[in-house]
Amino acid sequence: MSDRHGSEMMTRFPETNGHGDSLPAKQVLRLVRRDLSGQQYFVYIPSSGGVDAPLFVAVHGVAQNAHEQASMFSSYCEAQGVVLVAPLFADDYRDYQRLGRSGRGPRSDAALEAILEEVVLQTGAMATPIYLFGHSGGAQFAHRYAMAHPHRVARVVVVGAGWYTFPNRRRRFPHGIRRSRDLPNVRFDPEEFLRIPMTVMVGEQDTHTGNLRRTERVNRQQGRNRLERARNWVGAMRTAAESRNLDPLVSFESIPAGDNSFVRLMTSGRLGERVFAALFGDHTQ
């Protein structure tokens, strides 16, 4: 099968009642959800196998480069012994960065849950908590998913998000964490999501304003480019934690000479090493 997402094999799950060896290891596989949604996603199982392995979830930006992310992260997953999942939020998920508000397409957080359920069934990987990565539009999804479902997430790395949901109860989601009728059954609890270690990364040259939400409201709250917005959001999250007598667990890291290109960040900015150090490194010191 060949399309804009690559020429890799299309694979459907066989019927199974438990953990099995039906999915081959050391291959990036394109899979299709077993329900009638038709949603695709990518999986990589390391040679050490999937049973009891951590789950690393990588979420693409608007370029829908899920296969590219899966391929470029696969060697790190092999070395770390983790199962990779890269969901593909295609055109019908037009609001996936904001979790899929009512009237704007399917719920992307529910779609990820469905994918993870299948992967856990097929591989025996640990269902929770997941280790979550997102780039650009995927970084928007990743930090909002963690804030909405903190019990599901161990650690998060967000890279080059266009804009953020601030820990502000007075502003309605997605600008703040005040509940929105457009996102039913989601309640944001700072006492929970502020306990998740999050690393925010931005290329030090990522100061262009193209493809950014540039309303006066967002510019005034967050800044005028990705670098400013990342620093301001990290500061707000750390302040929110300190005001609740919690350790501030959100940190900022700039990538020298980096911009917003995922491929260039991986090949020239050592993004893979940075991400896996933040998610799986020794954090005991």
Side-chain angles (χ1 to χ4, degrees), residues 225-261:
N225 57 56
R226 289 184 178 87
L227 197 58
E228 288 182 9
R229 293 176 180 185
R231 292 185 185 277
N232 288 335
W233 186 73
V234 168
M237 292 286 279
R238 293 179 68 86
T239 297
E242 290 166 348
S243 71
R244 293 168 172 82
N245 294 316
L246 299 174
D247 291 335
L249 300 181
V250 181
S251 60
F252 176 82
E253 182 178 329
S254 65
I255 302 176
D259 56 16
N260 197 243
S261 164

Side-chain angles (χ1 to χ4, degrees), residues 166-186:
F166 272 60
N168 186 332
R169 291 189 182 276
R170 295 188 299 274
R171 292 180 178 265
R172 197 178 302 278
F173 180 85
H175 297 275
I177 58 174
R178 183 180 168 191
R179 293 185 70 172
S180 170
R181 67 185 66 182
D182 291 336
L183 201 67
N185 305 318
V186 172

Side-chain angles (χ1 to χ4, degrees), residues 208-223:
H208 301 289
T209 58
N211 299 319
L212 277 183
R213 181 178 292 267
R214 287 178 287 171
T215 66
E216 186 57 36
R217 179 183 182 184
V218 172
N219 287 348
R220 185 170 55 251
Q221 179 196 35
Q222 306 193 16

